[in-house]
Amino acid sequence: FHYGDYCINHWTFFEFILGMQPSFNIRYTLEDYYLVYKGKTIKKGGLNYANIHKICSSLIKLPDFYGKDFSWGDSVIEDIATKVKTSGGNLTTWRSIGTNHHIEAIVTQLSTLL
């Protein structure tokens, strides 16, 4: 059995153009696909707490949301959505949140194959 994974940084998901501004995004791994919320660019307030709160609130309302207890990343998403956590972090924080959720989701999927 062999397994390979680009994690949440798959090369085909986001087009890069020289000089483009990074935007806030949540990359959320599901069983058969990725859910990507792409927010405003950083220069247009993409990392403002209100914007992050709005996107997290939308995510936790979906039936696809794994729940706060699934991973550290899911816990942070729900804590921001419910205003338990009052700061939104930075792009590195969000890459960590998405990666943590992704690893937990993939480990769960792979463990059911054994």
Side-chain angles (χ1 to χ4, degrees), residues 43-92:
K43 285 191 174 184
K44 293 184 178 180
L47 286 174
N48 291 346
Y49 179 78
N51 294 324
I52 295 172
H53 166 71
K54 182 179 178 181
I55 292 173
C56 289
S57 295
S58 296
L59 178 56
I60 69 164
K61 292 175 186 170
L62 296 175
D64 292 328
F65 182 64
Y66 282 53
K68 180 178 182 157
D69 295 329
F70 183 74
S71 71
W72 165 78
D74 291 278
S75 176
V76 172
I77 290 168
E78 188 163 316
D79 283 352
I80 291 172
T82 58
K83 295 188 176 181
V84 169
K85 186 170 174 50
T86 58
S87 65
N90 58 35
L91 294 179
T92 302

Side-chain angles (χ1 to χ4, degrees), residues 89-109:
N90 58 35
L91 294 179
T92 302
T93 303
W94 284 97
R95 185 58 62 97
S96 300
I97 290 167
T99 299
N100 175 261
H101 168 81
H102 176 83
I103 290 169
E104 293 288 342
I106 296 302
V107 167
T108 299
Q109 286 180 18

Side-chain angles (χ1 to χ4, degrees), residues 17-29:
I17 301 169
L18 188 61
M20 69 185 265
Q21 296 297 316
S23 61
F24 169 72
N25 61 78
I26 297 178
R27 303 169 190 204
Y28 197 78
T29 304

